[in-house]
Amino acid sequence: MHHRLLGAAAAALGALLPVVAAECNRTYLSSFADAYVHSHETGQLSNLDNIADNFTYLENNKTREITSGIFYNALKIDHRHTIIDTVECASFTELIITHNVSGEPAPYVIGTQIRHSPGDLSCYLIDLIVSTTGSWLFNSTRTLEYASKENWTLIEEDQRPSRELLKTAADAYLDMWSNKSAIDAVPWGQPCDRLEGSVYTGSGLPTDSCKVGIPTNNNQAPNSHRRYVIDPTYGSISVLCIFEHLSNAPDSHEFRLENGKLRYVHTITIANSGLYGTEEPDPAPVSRGYKLRRGGASSRASGLLES
């Protein structure tokens, strides 16, 4: 049963990723990512235009109606980081939230890949990993504290890592659970800081290392069905995947390379363990109070909301 369910999930996810032949417009992809963030800020989806007829919404590796997802609450965004992949016509956005716009507790850390068709740039997939109270090492206040100290600015053009290096580095890192030789294939940098949930390996020293706590059991189930967003301009790659060895936990890993070496790692893992210290309260319940938009232009997905 385990393998059948995993295979079905991987097949469903994989079927959503078409082959992309030409580069896509960075400005458009960035503006759509802005609109996506605005939807979180307002708790509304009516501003998301140019939605494909075959639009799919995934939350924590499960297909859902977008009306039943995280967008029910208007959130105050404390931290936002976005990268753009003009080759795969996609974006990745990391959001850290501690409260909603009314000031009530709403602790979330969200990693989202958005994918567009290369022709008309319509959005056909929004793919989120949404962590909150009870997730692996979760505390959004601490995550915000650590992430705010880091530098993820643009990298000078002549110093940017290639797409190939970024993907090779990310794959080597994620292979460590199932392949011991992968450890030596990771381009470890120093300093390097890993933000795993809300636990930070760095202390601001030049000797900071991301090797702290790496797997010692290298015969575990693999981290499978990887979906990539790669942006060499920021030296960054996002990978969403399935952590099979953690009961098929939905997972997000983002990496930044500087001078060809690993500098930062951010992780979001949806596993009901690994509680760290005193957790924040659950998000405050909010009445959804929305109606479905039915019909309308073919360029919008059925199921989008209006107030």
Side-chain angles (χ1 to χ4, degrees), residues 163-229:
R163 292 180 62 86
E164 293 74 17
L165 176 59
L166 286 164
K167 186 174 183 297
T168 298
D171 279 338
Y173 190 100
L174 291 169
D175 285 345
M176 291 190 297
W177 282 261
S178 56
N179 181 359
K180 185 175 183 178
S181 65
I183 296 174
D184 293 330
V186 176
W188 301 106
Q190 202 170 40
C192 181
D193 300 310
R194 185 176 76 247
L195 181 52
E196 182 174 350
S198 62
V199 175
Y200 205 56
T201 64
S203 55
L205 298 175
T207 55
D208 285 350
S209 174
C210 288
K211 284 189 173 183
V212 176
I214 64 173
T216 55
N217 176 2
N218 311 109
N219 295 304
Q220 302 179 70
N223 301 319
S224 63
H225 196 74
R226 302 173 190 179
R227 293 97 76 195
Y228 305 90
V229 172

Side-chain angles (χ1 to χ4, degrees), residues 96 98 137-148 195 197-200 276-280:
I96 304 174
T98 57
L137 301 174
F138 183 86
N139 186 302
S140 62
T141 301
R142 288 194 179 101
T143 302
L144 175 63
E145 175 188 352
Y146 294 129
S148 299
L195 181 52
S198 62
V199 175
Y200 205 56
Y276 180 56
T278 301
E279 285 212 317
E280 298 154 303

Side-chain angles (χ1 to χ4, degrees), residues 235-256:
S236 300
I237 176 170
S238 154
V239 188
L240 305 188
C241 64
I242 299 171
F243 261 41
E244 291 188 35
H245 62 282
L246 278 179
S247 301
N248 296 331
D251 179 83
S252 168
H253 269 65
E254 187 182 13
F255 306 89
R256 175 175 166 100

